[in-house]
């Protein structure tokens, strides 16, 4: 255990970023290469529709207020939480939302007991608090994240709430209520600080397994004084002051219970400062791999050996550290094909005085740090990003990158003049072939409001074809940013229903062709930071009103092929049957 020094710098952002000669060469010489790399010619992108994100949380009846239990003792748990997620818990085609909250601590007792909250989507632009009826308040849990998955394949998504010291698994009863089955299922993750999680099927047996990214072994008994001496100078401690905790991997036994296989699978052999997780098939071999972002230590990339075990290859693959070999403060993560190569790239959020990283998947189990050549680079240097998602916000056919920002130190201005606790959000528009431009200031005043953002979850909550953004804020009210204008271009959304594969279709790989536009995606697990995403795969189609073909490769090995689909619709595809009837009611904008 390392003891904090009274005058030490207190967060990993305080080490000045060193740019190597290699970085400079990338910035000056590789930008052009990124435009021509790949097996095919990138089609001309459609005209950019004017898009505005409007915060409709209050008008929609979302009265939630996150309470981070802030205190003068600077408990580390006060600054890391506030996940959020989407779950169609009643399976009516309208996605409901869940917001994670804190709890009382030894030094903080709120006037009213705190709880996390489930809001039902009424289908008219408003939401109703149904937490008490549903039984999912997670009272007494200092909540961090949320993960949604149908672990028993009964057709109703279940809810995992992650927190400090334990997790809670709520089984969906299918009648609007949930039952706490944590102890029976064996997924309490007791004694660990769980941050983010992913439901996925690592052994392709048709049952959803669970991987949890655990953070450090902080406790109230080990709450050191960090920061400079003097009024207002105490700060939250650095993660290096505590031992890291290994990830947890639970295998689904198929009978409602799970077995902890962390050590036998080799996923839990080494401690980490885990904050974000995404499961995806980075080498397209049909088996999902695991990426975990670690705070101020090397990231983990676990390659699936297809025999129930994993090999950690972060350094070998080129995603463990930055291009010049520095540890960084890994937060939110996501994976997507940004270049049209058919391979999924990785994005990792970091704190200020570092850069949000984009690792381009080169094939051959190797990634290249394309942070500078992608033009994301220096824009993020003075920002701290948590929630992070790839999303085609304008439906032009190229996947863009969203970041929810906010610092960890509430007194950061005392240490860094150019950094702020509350920050505006970021959006990078993909110009094609993975070259991005910052369009954050073009998306409306609500998008630009400074907030202390943490979890971010993307969903087309009004079923109108463009992607909306839910953000939970540390110690504040959430924002539900409705996308107005993104559906001026065409689109297609696909809801997967596995039969031989897991019902959620996690691990499925999808190729969509519309004229000269060829798009690739996967049904991934996890993503972002402490948050649960819309399970439907969304494809922006630009000016293409017809989809020529859709090819779905399921985890079971089965392949579904569809042809001649009209754009601007949400389709449900069942493994082995093709398109099936399923309603997704559209909500008219108010």
């Amino acid at each position: 255990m390392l003891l904090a020094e009274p005058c030490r710098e207190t967060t990993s952002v305080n080490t000045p970023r060193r740019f190597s000669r290699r970085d400079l060469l990338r910035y000056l010489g590789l930008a052009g290469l990124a435009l021509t790399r790949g097996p095919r010619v990138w089609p001309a992108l459609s005209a950019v529709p004017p898009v505005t994100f409007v915060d409709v949380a209050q008008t929609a009846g979302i009265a939630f207020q996150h309470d981070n239990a802030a205190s003068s003792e600077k408990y580390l748990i006060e600054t890391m939480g506030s996940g959020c997620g989407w779950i169609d818990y009643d399976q009516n085609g309208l996605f409901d939302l869940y917001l994670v909250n804190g709890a009382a601590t030894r030094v903080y007792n709120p006037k009213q007991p705190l709880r996390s909250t489930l809001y039902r989507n009424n289908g008219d632009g408003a939401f109703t608090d149904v937490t008490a009826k549903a039984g999912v308040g997670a009272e007494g849990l200092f909540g961090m994240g949320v993960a949604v998955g149908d672990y028993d394949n009964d057709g109703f998504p279940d809810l995992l709430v992650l927190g400090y010291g334990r997790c809670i698994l709520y089984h969906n009863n299918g009648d609007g209520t949930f039952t706490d089955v944590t102890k029976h299922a064996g997924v309490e993750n007791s004694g660990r600080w769980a941050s983010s999680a992913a439901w996925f099927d690592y052994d392709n047996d048709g049952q959803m397994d669970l991987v949890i990214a655990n953070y450090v072994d902080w406790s109230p008994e080990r709450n050191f004084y960090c920061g400079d001496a003097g009024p207002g100078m105490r700060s939250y401690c650095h993660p290096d002051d505590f031992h890291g905790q290994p990830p947890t991997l639970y295998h689904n036994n198929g009978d409602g219970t799970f077995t902890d296989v962390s050590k036998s699978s080799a996923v839990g052999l080494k401690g980490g400062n885990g904050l974000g997780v995404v499961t995806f098939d980075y080498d397209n071999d049909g088996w999902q791999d695991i990426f975990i972002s670690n705070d101020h230590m090397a990231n983990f990339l676990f390659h699936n050996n297809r025999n129930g075990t994993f090999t950690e290859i972060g350094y070998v693959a080129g995603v463990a550290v930055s291009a010049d070999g520095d540890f960084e403060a890994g937060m939110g993560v996501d994976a997507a094909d940004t270049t049209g190569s058919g391979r999924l790239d990785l994005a990792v959020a970091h704190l200020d005085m570092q850069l949000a990283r984009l690792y381009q998947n080169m094939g051959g189990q190797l990634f290249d740090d394309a942070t500078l050549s992608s033009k994301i680079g220096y824009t993020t240097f003075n920002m701290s990003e948590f929630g992070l998602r790839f999303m085609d916000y304008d439906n032009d056919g190229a996947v863009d990158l969203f970041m929810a920002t906010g610092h960890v130190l509430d007194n950061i201005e005392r240490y860094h003049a150019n950094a702020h606790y509350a920050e505006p959000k970021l959006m990078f528009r993909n110009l094609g072939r993975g070259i991005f431009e910052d369009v954050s200031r073009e998306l409306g005043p609500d998008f630009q409001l400074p907030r202390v953002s943490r979890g971010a979850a993307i969903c087309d909550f009004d079923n109108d074809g463009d992607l909306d953004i839910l953000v939970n804020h540390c110690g504040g009210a959430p924002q539900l940013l409705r996308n107005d204008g993104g559906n001026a271009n065409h689109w297609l959304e696909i809801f997967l229903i596995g039969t031989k594969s897991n019902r959620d279709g996690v691990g499925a790989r999808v190729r969509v062709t519309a004229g000269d536009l060829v798009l690739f995606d996967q049904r991934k697990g996890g993503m972002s930071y402490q948050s649960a995403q819309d399970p439907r795969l969304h494809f922006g189609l630009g000016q293409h009103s017809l989809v020529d073909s859709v090819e779905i490769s399921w985890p079971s090995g089965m392949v579904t092929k569809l042809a001649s689909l009209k754009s601007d619709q949400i389709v449900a595809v069942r493994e082995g049957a093709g398109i099936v009837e399923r309603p997704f009611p559209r909500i008219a904008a108010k």
Side-chain angles (χ1 to χ4, degrees), residues 134 152 161 259 427 532:
D152 57 353
V161 186
T259 298
M427 183 75 80

Side-chain angles (χ1 to χ4, degrees), residues 240-408:
D240 287 353
D241 292 324
F242 310 96
H243 294 299
Q245 297 182 318
T248 307
L249 180 63
Y250 290 107
H251 177 260
N252 190 331
N253 300 323
D255 60 359
T257 68
F258 293 77
T259 298
D260 187 339
V261 295
S262 306
K263 292 185 178 179
S264 61
S265 68
V267 168
L269 295 180
K270 181 181 178 182
N273 300 338
L275 287 176
V277 59
V278 61
T279 63
F280 69 116
D281 182 6
Y282 81 93
D283 54 357
N284 288 330
D285 66 352
W287 297 72
Q288 280 215 318
D289 311 294
I290 306 168
F291 179 83
I292 294 178
S293 60
N294 285 314
D295 188 2
H296 203 239
M297 64 173 289
N299 302 316
F300 295 149
L301 176 59
F302 294 101
H303 176 257
N304 193 328
N305 297 327
R306 302 185 244 179
N307 61 2
T309 69
F310 292 79
T311 301
E312 203 287 297
I313 60 167
Y315 273 108
V316 174
V319 296
V321 294
S322 67
D324 53 2
D326 285 343
F327 295 145
E328 295 180 306
M331 303 296 181
V333 298
D334 198 7
D337 178 13
T338 67
T339 65
S341 67
R343 300 181 296 267
L344 267 58
D345 311 309
L346 269 170
V348 185
H350 295 122
L351 296 187
D352 71 312
M353 296 186 71
Q354 300 170 356
L355 305 179
R357 292 282 159 190
L358 178 63
Y359 297 101
Q360 190 176 101
N361 191 333
M362 307 303 293
Q365 299 188 349
L366 295 174
F367 289 79
D368 180 56
D369 187 341
T371 303
L372 298 179
S373 61
S374 69
K375 305 297 185 183
I376 292 174
Y378 296 102
T379 303
T380 62
F381 184 70
N382 287 317
M383 307 287 280
S384 299
E385 316 91 34
F386 277 82
L388 176 150
R389 276 301 316 276
F390 285 110
M391 58 180 293
D392 187 357
Y393 80 93
D394 54 2
N395 285 342
D396 67 352
V399 65
D400 313 302
L401 182 57
F402 167 78
M403 301 179 190
T405 62
H407 210 278
V408 295

Side-chain angles (χ1 to χ4, degrees), residues 118-178:
L118 175 64
Y119 284 93
R120 183 179 186 273
N121 188 334
N122 299 333
D124 59 359
F127 289 78
T128 299
D129 183 343
V130 294
T131 311
K133 179 181 178 181
V136 292
E139 293 87 351
L141 174 69
F142 202 105
M144 291 288 153
V146 58
V148 173
D150 184 2
Y151 74 87
D152 57 353
N153 292 331
D154 67 352
F156 289 90
D158 308 298
L159 185 70
L160 177 75
V161 186
L162 303 104
Y164 172 73
R166 64 188 176 97
C167 297
I168 300 175
L169 177 60
Y170 291 110
H171 175 261
N172 191 331
N173 300 321
D175 60 0
T177 68
F178 292 74

Side-chain angles (χ1 to χ4, degrees), residues 92-94 123 461-464 583-587:
N92 64 352
L94 295 166
F461 83 90
D462 47 7
N463 291 333
D464 67 349
F584 293 99
R586 182 163 177 170
I587 299 171

Side-chain angles (χ1 to χ4, degrees), residues 60-111:
I62 300 171
F64 179 86
Q65 181 82 13
H66 179 261
D67 192 330
N68 64 329
S71 73
S72 60
E73 292 299 310
K74 300 289 184 179
Y75 280 4
L76 193 56
I77 54 174
E78 297 171 10
T79 194
M80 302 305 293
S82 64
C84 56
W86 295 96
I87 175 172
D88 182 7
Y89 79 98
D90 51 5
Q91 290 295 280
N92 64 352
L94 295 166
F95 278 84
D96 317 295
L97 65 88
Y98 190 81
L99 296 159
V100 179
N101 211 346
T105 68
R106 292 184 181 184
V107 296
Y108 178 77
N109 290 298
K111 294 180 180 179

